[in-house]
Every structure is written in structure tokens, then in C-alpha cells.
Amino acid sequence: MSLIVQKYGGTSVGNPERITNVAKRLLETQRAGHSVVAVVSAMSGVTDSLIKLAREVSAKPTEREMDVLLSTGEQTTMALTAMAIQSMGGKAVSLTGAQAGIVTNGVHTKAKISNITPDQIRKHLDQGEIVIVAGFQGETSEGDITTLGRGGSDLTAIALASAVEADACQIFTDVDGVYTCDPRIVPTAKKIAEISYDEMLEMASSGSKVMQSRSVEFAKKFGVTFEVRSSFNNNPGTTVKEESAGMEQVVVRGVSVERNQAKVTVTNVPDKPGCAARLFTALADAHVMVDVIVQNVSASGSTDISFTMNRDELEKIGDLLDRVAAEIGAGKVSKQDGIAKLSVVGIGMRTHSGVAAKLFDALAKGGINIQMISTSEIKIAVIIEEAKIAEAAKLAHTAFGLDAA
Ligand code: ADP
Ligand code: ASP
Ligand code: MG
């Protein structure tokens, strides 16, 4: 008998009918002869509503209490799913993250899993029960509830699959798999049959939020092969796994889009050691996540430094950079929102040349101006005007031959 971990995301459990559908699927899987562990997300929109609710009672809720609050979303779903299975005559039990043995560090709202002791899960499986685990949550060794960052139920599923040594890990969502681009942006996007961990990781961390990037990192580290597929049909999905022979033949596997970015430029930064360090240390101390950084060639003893970040964090910066700029003798600080990042990703880039040229040419033909460029071994990313991002994604998608026939 094999052991399967299945994760159902927010849309898949978004209303009572959908929860009933998930319950049916879980029972079918069990009846086919498998032991089943299900990881469930909060019903769609619930986590966002809880965050909104918190803001209505407090301008700055503590992260500990945010975790206590947000963990309730998944707890609602797990109990409803277990009830639905029981009402169909099946055996099921729901477990919180803590009951499932998921221990994390104490970094509230983005905790890291430190270990998993799945004794309770095993005990219930041995009793023939379908075990429903609340995604996205764990507990510190001191007994405080923690959450694993947005989209964290993916991580719960992959980490549990590793801990219980599951034979298969399936991530059920509202699309048929991982596509060459978000099908909501590029309707001609195609489902990818197989993708390497590295490509999935680059896509997830550059805006393709079909998988939480931390969960892919975990899967890569512990060698958990998983499949992304739809909870609304039985179509085969996308297998995410170790790189295999032949995968490098595809130059660009997919295109990612990240909206909601902002660009900050500090002009006339003195061209001497320590200035960039001062600027970015101040940002790090303020817990601002910086993405693409570009420094101009120094012409007359000073240079301009630009970087991008999430637009929602602009507020956090306030006049911080103006103060640091004054201290180091730099010029003006300008902030611009309404920009976005487009990335093309593929391990084939390691062995093929001309990828950047092709991307830039496609954008040029569409009259799209590139503001910044950044590359990694398997990714080329450009910063452009946000209003043009969908058009840019379509152009890149076509240029790299990714459109469905
Ligand atoms: P869940 O609630 O099941 O975790 P998510 O909303 O987190 O689902 O992820 C699924 C969504 O991810 C899809 O509806 C799709 O719009 C979006 N998405 C972004 N990029 C991609 C991609 N490359 N392939 C498939 N879906 C993508
Ligand atoms: N409910 C959490 C979120 O919306 C976790 C998840 O769905 O994976 O981010
Ligand atoms: Mg998700």
C-alpha cells in the first residue's frame, strides 16, 4: 500500500460544494488502496479577510497574534473536510500543524520548519483514517503558534511528504499544472509536463506564485518530487523534479511576471568604498527586501545607484534614504512606482547564447523600454513600465516559441 500526500489550495476548498468535492477525491484515493494525508489551505479569501480584520483593530498588530489569527483559516477548512468525509461514511481526523508534529523556529509570520515528528499522523493512518492537516502552520518548541509565509500550505505538504516518506506528493490547485506563463496573463500559455527544481524555483521567486518558492527550495533540498495538478479534473499535471537529461534542450521553460514593484534611485553617490554598504545596511535594518540593483559607471567621482523593491514596502522607507544620502554626501533620492519585472527562465540558457538579445529584440519591436536588467545563470529579468507588462509577457512568450499551437 502506498502513502500519498495531497494538498488542496484555497480555491479548491473555497465553498462547501468544493470541500465536498475534495472529500470525495480523498475517499476515492483511499479506496484505490492508498494511505492518504491531506493538507488543506484556508478557504479562498479567508487569510486576506483575517489580515484586514486585524488592521481594523490595530495599526500594527504583533506578529505573534497575527499567527494565532491566521492559523484559524486553515483550522476551519481541516475540520470541515474531516466532517464532509465522515458524512460520506469515511474515516477521517483533522490535525493542527502542532498536532501533526510540525516544529518551527520562532520567526512569526515566516517561520522555518526545524523538524517534524509525524507520530500522530502515523497512528491515525494505521487506524485507517484519512488524516487532514492544517497547512501553513506549526508550533515553536515553546508551544507558540507560527505560520510559514503566504502560500505556506505548499511547504507543509512538501515537508510532510518528506517526513512521512510519502510515495507521492500532489499539489491540487485551480489550474491544470505549471504553465509557460500565468494563463491569466498569457492565454496561449501551455502546460509544462516536467520542470526542474531550479526552474520552478526561479519562476516561483520571480512572480509565478503557483508554488510558494520556499516550498520548492525545500523540495530541492530533500529531493521531494511533486506534481502540480487541478482539483477540478483528472488531467495529468506538471512534475517538478531533479534535472534530467534533455531538459537543457529547452532554452526558455517559462515567463514570469511580478507586478507591484517600485524603483528607487540615489543620485551622485560618492564613488568610494562603504557608500553602497551604508545605503543597503540601512535598508536591511529596516527589513526592506531589495531586488534588482544597478550602479552606473562612475564618470566624475560619483555614481547613481538604483534598486527595485516591493511597492507596498515604500512606506517603510519614509525619509530613511534621504538621511543616509545626506550623511554620505550623495544627491537626491527619487522613488517611482508603477513598474514591474518580467523574467524568462530556463536551464537551457546555460548552454545556449543569444537569449538576452532575443528578449530585448522582442520588447523593442513592441516599443517597450527596458529600465533595468538583471541576470542569473538560468534567468534574464527586465524592469519595465507596469502598464506594459502583460503585452511584454505575450511578446516574450511568442519570441521563445512557447505559445500553444
Ligand atoms: P492555491 O490556492 O491552490 O495555492 P494559487 O492561487 O496559490 O493556488 O496558485 C494558482 C494560481 O497561480 C493560478 O490560478 C494562476 O493564476 C497562478 N499562476 C501564476 N503563474 C502561473 C504559472 N506559470 N502556471 C500556472 N499558474 C500560474
Ligand atoms: N492561507 C495561506 C495564504 O493564503 C496559506 C496558503 O493558502 O497556502 O497565504
Ligand atoms: Mg498557493
Side-chain angles (χ1 to χ4, degrees), residues 7 9-10 173-175 177-179 181-184 203 208-210:
K7 178 253 170 177
T173 183
D174 57 4
V175 265
V178 180
Y179 278 65
C181 188
D182 187 340
R184 293 179 210 235
M203 282 181 71
S208 297
K209 301 228 163 67
V210 56

Side-chain angles (χ1 to χ4, degrees), residues 185-186 255-259 339-343 363 368 382-395:
I185 299 169
V186 177
V255 175
S256 292
V257 160
E258 184 129 50
R259 297 181 200 264
I339 62 162
K341 185 169 76 170
L342 173 82
S343 309
L363 297 177
I368 295 170
V382 293
I383 301 295
I384 62 169
E385 188 189 334
E386 188 166 14
K388 301 244 168 88
I389 192 72
E391 191 191 339
K394 285 179 194 138
L395 289 167

Side-chain angles (χ1 to χ4, degrees), residues 19-86:
I19 290 178
T20 303
N21 173 50
V22 167
K24 273 192 205 136
R25 282 178 165 263
L26 293 171
L27 272 171
E28 274 162 24
T29 310
Q30 191 190 42
R31 284 184 190 137
H34 307 291
S35 289
V36 187
V37 176
V39 173
V40 290
S41 286
M43 295 165 77
S44 56
V46 166
T47 307
D48 288 337
S49 310
L50 290 170
I51 293 172
K52 205 165 147 260
L53 208 52
R55 300 237 164 92
E56 282 171 27
V57 296
S58 164
K60 213 171 181 302
T62 63
E63 293 188 322
R64 181 190 183 281
E65 299 311 323
M66 279 309 282
D67 279 353
V68 175
L69 179 69
L70 296 193
S71 66
T72 63
E74 270 68 14
Q75 275 175 235
T76 305
T77 315
M78 76 183 197
L80 292 173
T81 311
M83 288 173 195
I85 294 173
Q86 290 161 356

Side-chain angles (χ1 to χ4, degrees), residues 50-304:
L50 290 170
I51 293 172
K52 205 165 147 260
L53 208 52
R55 300 237 164 92
E56 282 171 27
V57 296
S58 164
K60 213 171 181 302
T62 63
E63 293 188 322
R64 181 190 183 281
E65 299 311 323
M66 279 309 282
D67 279 353
V68 175
L69 179 69
L70 296 193
S71 66
T72 63
E74 270 68 14
Q75 275 175 235
T76 305
T77 315
M78 76 183 197
L80 292 173
T81 311
M83 288 173 195
I85 294 173
Q86 290 161 356
S87 79
M88 292 171 198
K91 286 168 75 178
V93 63
S94 65
L95 299 177
T96 62
Q99 289 173 320
I102 301 173
V103 179
T104 73
N105 66 12
V107 184
H108 285 290
T109 76
K110 40 186 170 301
K112 278 205 168 116
I113 296 177
S114 36
N115 64 73
I116 300 184
T117 315
D119 296 352
Q120 287 257 34
I121 296 183
R122 289 226 170 81
K123 187 187 86 188
H124 288 291
L125 288 175
D126 288 346
Q127 291 166 359
E129 289 165 316
I130 295 175
V131 181
I132 322 286
V133 179
F136 178 55
Q137 55 174 266
E139 187 184 65
T140 64
S141 47
E142 287 80 41
D144 279 325
I145 298 172
T146 50
T147 63
L148 310 175
R150 294 307 303 266
S153 299
D154 294 335
L155 178 57
T156 305
I158 286 169
L160 275 183
S162 173
V164 301
E165 294 174 18
D167 299 286
C169 177
Q170 299 171 321
I171 308 290
F172 286 93
T173 183
D174 57 4
V175 265
D176 278 10
V178 180
Y179 278 65
T180 46
C181 188
D182 187 340
R184 293 179 210 235
I185 299 169
V186 177
T188 51
K190 276 186 300 203
K191 183 167 67 188
I192 300 168
E194 281 187 357
I195 183 168
S196 70
Y197 292 129
D198 286 336
E199 289 167 324
M200 188 69 251
L201 193 54
E202 281 281 16
M203 282 181 71
S205 54
S206 60
S208 297
K209 301 228 163 67
V210 56
M211 286 298 298
Q212 186 211 33
S213 56
R214 284 176 66 187
S215 72
V216 185
E217 231 170 288
F218 191 104
K220 180 181 169 175
K221 190 162 166 198
F222 294 98
V224 181
T225 299
F226 62 95
E227 189 192 3
V228 181
R229 53 188 297 166
S230 170
S231 67
F232 303 125
N233 59 46
N234 289 315
N235 298 342
T238 301
T239 304
V240 186
K241 57 180 208 158
E242 200 57 70
E243 186 177 329
S244 60
M247 275 193 183
E248 268 195 355
Q249 268 149 31
V250 176
V251 183
V252 169
R253 182 87 51 202
V255 175
S256 292
V257 160
E258 184 129 50
R259 297 181 200 264
N260 216 22
Q261 303 295 293
K263 182 170 86 172
V264 178
T265 301
V266 186
T267 57
N268 291 319
V269 180
D271 193 13
K272 56 183 193 208
C275 287
R278 290 277 294 279
L279 284 169
F280 289 97
T281 303
L283 291 164
D285 290 346
H287 301 288
V288 173
M289 301 272 278
V290 170
D291 189 13
V292 180
I293 302 174
V294 170
Q295 174 175 318
N296 284 350
V297 177
S298 153
S300 52
S302 71
T303 176
D304 294 347

